[in-house]
Amino acid sequence: METRWLEDFLVLADTGSFTRSAEVRHLTQPAFSRRIKSLESWFGADLIDRTTYPTKLTAAGELLREQAVQMLAQINSTRAQLRGLQPLPAGTLSLAVPHTLSFSFFPKWLTRMEQGFGPLSCRLQASNVHDALLAFVEGGCDLLMCYHHPKQPVELTDPRYSGLRLGVETLRPYVRSNPDHSPSHALPGSAAQPLPFLGYASNAYFRLMTDLILEAAPAPTFLSLRYETDMAEGLKNMVLEGHGVAFLPTGSVQNELRTKQLVLAAAQGWSVDMEVRLYRDNKRSRPELDAFWDYLVASTQPV
């Protein structure tokens, strides 16, 4: 048996759709279906009830779903240790977190949590939003921290998942400041002189958020794309060097705003608010995880 078959199975159990699961796993639907059949052959049992839609699990499938999460978690933990990571305490919490939140939101949030709950041992898996979500639904971590917007929601509708609202992050346009602290560029630009624009790659969550901002902008925006990357930190460094305007999460530029290295490229109108959420899988239970989640539930707004 291959571990990727278990990962395929968990995605299918979550989405209830062979087509959607194949997209998530970057496979054709026939290839994905063959891997599920291979898993069923290995176990010698039907795991999927193919007479219903959305796809449901058989009794054997439900049993495997519970076991597969723990199996993959143990495999991933062992693999990490074999790759030379220093072992963390047994009660360590593992979190999947997008890169930007791992730089800006997570450290300050963890400080606040430890002030009330006590010391926490954490293992952070930083990646893009899509991969963080995938790691979570495949059972590779205890908690998922992510962004959420109604027009680009995180699709965790299964009752097995519980979510909490941790705060709000705002995406706004920033540029390097002139010596007099005025903006080096100002939106909306003009057809004759479009602003040099530093954007996100097509697979980045902030690319979708930026598109929402520009679609709802208070005036036509004239931009000339000069640079793309999928990380906000990379764009921030480009802005600091004066290469153009970029939409950055406010939490990632606090120091630069205090020192007046960066300023807003528009007073208002070119921004979007995103919730920062934390999710857990209710079927994944350990004393340390349960205790921390209970503490959070008592002080945090539910989704």
Side-chain angles (χ1 to χ4, degrees):
M1 185 186 70
E2 299 185 32
T3 56
R4 62 180 180 172
W5 296 350
L6 289 177
E7 295 169 351
D8 294 339
F9 171 74
L10 288 175
V11 173
L12 178 58
D14 185 62
T15 65
S17 166
F18 275 83
T19 300
R20 175 59 183 149
S21 298
E23 292 174 353
V24 170
R25 297 292 288 166
H26 304 292
L27 295 168
T28 63
Q29 184 171 331
F32 182 85
S33 296
R34 285 195 297 271
R35 279 161 56 158
I36 295 297
K37 289 296 293 184
S38 296
L39 184 67
E40 290 179 313
S41 297
W42 193 90
F43 278 108
D46 290 332
L47 304 173
I48 308 299
D49 182 354
R50 294 174 173 81
T51 65
T52 63
Y53 186 85
T55 300
K56 293 183 180 179
L57 303 182
T58 63
E62 289 290 353
L63 177 61
L64 177 60
R65 184 183 196 174
E66 296 179 9
Q67 297 296 324
V69 170
Q70 300 300 324
M71 291 163 63
L72 285 172
Q74 184 61 47
I75 290 171
N76 289 334
S77 176
T78 302
R79 181 175 61 182
Q81 292 184 35
L82 291 176
R83 287 178 173 178
L85 293 179
Q86 293 296 319
L88 288 167
T92 295
L93 300 180
S94 58
L95 298 94
V97 183
H99 288 295
T100 302
L101 285 175
S102 72
F103 289 130
S104 59
F105 187 91
F106 179 81
K108 295 182 177 63
W109 174 79
L110 182 62
T111 297
R112 294 196 303 272
M113 294 305 99
E114 290 189 325
Q115 288 172 350
F117 181 78
L120 286 165
S121 177
C122 299
R123 176 182 290 116
L124 211 62
Q125 302 176 31
S127 61
N128 60 44
V129 174
H130 174 270
D131 289 347
L133 178 60
L134 197 60
F136 176 67
V137 300
E138 289 179 351
C141 59
D142 296 314
L143 300 167
L144 167 69
M145 182 180 288
C146 62
Y147 296 107
H148 174 88
H149 187 276
K151 292 188 177 181
Q152 291 295 335
V154 174
E155 299 290 355
L156 290 173
T157 56
D158 192 305
R160 68 183 285 183
Y161 299 117
S162 295
L164 299 170
R165 293 183 177 90
L166 303 184
V168 174
E169 182 71 279
T170 303
L171 198 67
R172 305 183 74 180
Y174 293 95
V175 293
R176 188 171 71 173
S177 62
N178 292 319
D180 63 356
H181 305 311
S182 63
S184 56
H185 303 284
L187 290 171
S190 67
Q193 288 188 313
L195 303 182
F197 181 52
L198 312 174
Y200 294 95
S202 59
N203 63 334
Y205 186 82
F206 284 167
R207 169 68 173 267
L208 304 174
M209 293 294 99
T210 300
D211 290 344
L212 289 179
I213 293 172
L214 296 177
E215 289 169 6
T221 310
F222 299 92
L223 303 171
S224 175
L225 183 62
R226 301 289 182 84
Y227 178 78
E228 279 188 346
T229 182
D230 59 356
M231 293 185 64
E233 284 294 309
L235 287 189
K236 182 176 75 172
N237 289 330
M238 291 290 287
V239 175
L240 286 168
E241 291 297 324
H243 289 290
V245 57
F247 289 89
L248 303 169
T250 303
S252 70
V253 296
Q254 292 304 298
N255 290 334
E256 291 77 14
L257 293 177
R258 277 194 294 268
T259 57
K260 301 187 185 302
Q261 293 173 276
L262 296 182
V263 293
L264 282 168
Q268 58 185 359
W270 279 270
S271 66
V272 67
D273 291 336
M274 305 164 291
E275 288 184 0
V276 179
R277 292 186 173 186
L278 190 71
Y279 287 94
R280 76 165 293 183
D281 184 338
N282 298 319
K283 292 188 176 182
R284 189 182 180 95
S285 178
R286 293 186 290 115
E288 300 83 5
L289 174 61
D290 295 341
F292 182 55
W293 190 260
D294 289 343
Y295 170 79
L296 290 172
V297 168
S299 58
T300 310
Q301 183 182 7
V303 170

